[in-house]
Amino acid sequence: MTAASSGREAFGTRAGFILAAAGSAVGLGNMWRFSYQASEGGGAAFVLVYIAMTLALGIPLMLAEFGLGRRGQLGPIGTLRKLGGRAWGPVGYLFVAVGLLILAYYSVIAGWTVRYGIEAVAGGFARSAGDHFGAVASGGDAVAYHVAFMIATTLIVIGGVKGGIERASLLLMPMLFVIVIGLAIWAATLPGAAVGYRVYLQPEPSELMSPAVWRAAASQAFFSLSLGMGAMLTFASYLRRDQNLPESATIVAFTDFGVAFVAGLLVFPVIYSLGLQDAVSASTVGALFIALPSAFEAMGTVGRVVGLFFFIVLAVGALTSAISLLEVVTASVMDEFGMRRRTAALVMGTVITLLGVLPAMDTDALGLMDKIAGEFLLLAGALALALLAGWRIPSEVRAELLEGASPFWQRQVPRIVAVLRFLVPPIVAIVLFFSLRETIAAVSAYLAG
Ligand code: PHE
């Protein structure tokens, strides 16, 4: 039975699926989280390990999600139960919970980007950037922008796979690529650009073996590729059998990495040409939002125009990622409770909006939620998916990945499955252990005030 004849919604075009998956991947993770994890994880060393993780673990895991999703033709709860057996149902519920938690704080940060974008046009960025960030990032204003962003996200998801998600991605993603490249070219003309490039691109060899760097890099690779909570799985469940899955996953991963990398070519020169590195290495969730607006403001009118485009990119990237998070939750509720799309999206959108009030009031809570859901639970989910695809049903996953793949990619499929069996689980398990320790420490620090 094909997706179409089953009555399940489906993407209309191959490019639509790829851009929707790339839209899920490219988001705040590429800039906000990338820069703050890079500063926690030692700059260029982090970037190097992050690339290795994306290629060695990220692409195979994305293929696990693509294969499971297209095979299952349901959201994560239904697909895991159908393919893995009853015991896997709870893992699907975990994915939905992770989606709720991530979107709750993700939408708050997205709200900050909208707010800064508006400021670029109306009057410019404030001079006392740190104080101003405090006002933007918490309290009533932050709640209001978060609510507005959730409304936009919910409306697109109500529009459905083809009329909402695919249409938004086909329109927004090309625009995002053009702006990011334009901004990076502009940054190359700044006086201090070379120093910024050097910090960004020259790794400190001693840091390459540090567990902290590995943890930050693995967590960033999964977060940025939207892996470990069923977002890619859900999108693939709307596919017909003719999509070349291995090729699609490779394109999506390189696009995501490309945008993160090019964004770094913008962020680092801007920060170093204005001597703002201390604001960033203070390493808080707000680093990017404190350093960059003050840089833009110092550059006068040009800075405001650049700043406007920069925040448009962030908001657009955030929107296409947010719709994938809400889609995971919506699809599962539709499958499980037989709800209509509109009702499911409205109910779950409202729940997430309410959950987001906490991180909108308290940036420490936001950082903690990112640690628990954006790092620890995604790693745990990635491990579960690798075990399911690589050990529980490897021959089904292999058969699914072969279907629609060109001969070149068909030859890679056995390797991909072998990586899922032997390479991904041990590495993720080790990183998960370090992440657990860190997460426990972070939770107790938060509770101690
Ligand atoms: N990948 C998105 C980003 O980089 C975030 C995301 C994580 C989206 C998990 C969906 C699932 O911004």
Side-chain angles (χ1 to χ4, degrees), residues 116-138:
Y116 278 115
I118 292 173
E119 285 183 355
V121 186
F125 305 107
R127 291 207 169 262
S128 58
D131 298 345
H132 185 60
F133 174 71
V136 170
S138 58

Side-chain angles (χ1 to χ4, degrees), residues 195-248:
V195 188
Y197 291 148
R198 206 168 309 131
V199 179
Y200 180 38
L201 300 173
Q202 257 180 21
E204 190 70 59
S206 63
E207 286 183 330
L208 279 175
M209 290 321 290
S210 132
V213 172
W214 280 61
R215 182 190 50 71
S219 126
Q220 178 59 16
F222 295 154
F223 185 92
S224 189
L225 293 172
S226 305
L227 298 175
M229 51 77 67
M232 293 299 178
L233 184 155
T234 305
F235 275 3
S237 77
Y238 301 123
L239 276 183
R240 305 196 173 92
R241 289 269 136 77
D242 59 358
Q243 188 100 15
N244 185 339
L245 295 180
E247 185 186 71
S248 305

Side-chain angles (χ1 to χ4, degrees), residues 106-439:
Y106 198 85
S107 161
V108 171
I109 305 164
W112 305 346
T113 69
V114 174
R115 161 88 177 253
Y116 278 115
I118 292 173
E119 285 183 355
V121 186
F125 305 107
R127 291 207 169 262
S128 58
D131 298 345
H132 185 60
F133 174 71
V136 170
S138 58
D141 284 6
V143 175
Y145 281 93
H146 154 67
V147 172
F149 190 83
M150 278 306 301
I151 292 175
T153 305
T154 309
L155 287 177
I156 296 178
V157 170
I158 288 177
V161 174
K162 206 164 145 183
I165 297 173
E166 181 168 355
R167 189 133 58 108
S169 309
L170 285 169
L171 179 79
L172 295 174
M173 292 310 288
M175 174 173 129
L176 183 150
F177 298 143
V178 171
I179 300 179
V180 169
I181 292 172
L183 289 175
I185 294 174
W186 165 82
T189 66
L190 293 174
V195 188
Y197 291 148
R198 206 168 309 131
V199 179
Y200 180 38
L201 300 173
Q202 257 180 21
E204 190 70 59
S206 63
E207 286 183 330
L208 279 175
M209 290 321 290
S210 132
V213 172
W214 280 61
R215 182 190 50 71
S219 126
Q220 178 59 16
F222 295 154
F223 185 92
S224 189
L225 293 172
S226 305
L227 298 175
M229 51 77 67
M232 293 299 178
L233 184 155
T234 305
F235 275 3
S237 77
Y238 301 123
L239 276 183
R240 305 196 173 92
R241 289 269 136 77
D242 59 358
Q243 188 100 15
N244 185 339
L245 295 180
E247 185 186 71
S248 305
T250 309
I251 295 175
V252 171
F254 274 91
T255 304
D256 183 59
F257 170 71
V259 173
F261 185 76
V262 175
L265 294 180
L266 164 72
V267 170
F268 280 80
V270 169
I271 287 171
Y272 280 85
S273 73
L274 285 148
L276 288 164
Q277 50 273 28
D278 290 345
V280 175
S281 60
S283 171
T284 63
V285 291
L288 184 75
F289 292 97
I290 297 173
L292 284 179
S294 37
F296 293 142
E297 188 57 28
M299 292 171 188
T301 312
V302 177
R304 271 186 218 166
V305 175
V306 170
L308 171 64
F309 280 110
F310 177 76
F311 286 110
I312 289 177
V313 163
L314 279 181
V316 163
L319 186 60
T320 52
S321 300
I323 57 187
S324 74
L325 287 159
L326 185 58
E327 181 61 23
V328 168
V329 179
T330 303
S332 301
V333 171
M334 287 166 68
D335 294 344
E336 286 301 290
F337 304 106
M339 258 188 214
R340 295 203 348 251
R341 169 171 287 277
R342 173 190 291 268
T343 323
L346 274 176
V347 171
M348 298 322 284
T350 308
V351 171
I352 294 167
T353 305
L354 293 175
L355 264 178
V357 172
L358 173 67
M361 300 301 291
D362 176 0
T363 44
D364 288 340
L366 191 156
L368 190 67
M369 286 167 82
D370 183 46
K371 187 118 227 139
I372 296 173
E375 179 181 307
F376 178 70
L377 292 175
L378 285 187
L379 288 167
L383 180 60
L385 286 167
L387 292 176
L388 176 60
W391 290 97
R392 176 130 180 91
I393 50 164
S395 44
E396 280 173 86
V397 169
R398 194 178 300 121
E400 191 62 45
L401 294 181
L402 288 174
E403 191 129 10
S406 59
F408 169 80
W409 288 108
Q410 288 188 340
R411 286 196 295 280
Q412 315 306 318
V413 166
R415 290 186 199 140
I416 292 162
V417 176
V419 169
L420 284 172
R421 281 170 81 89
F422 300 113
L423 192 64
V424 177
I427 296 183
V428 177
I430 294 170
V431 175
L432 187 64
F433 167 75
F434 286 113
S435 172
L436 177 63
R437 285 206 320 198
E438 280 250 341
T439 306

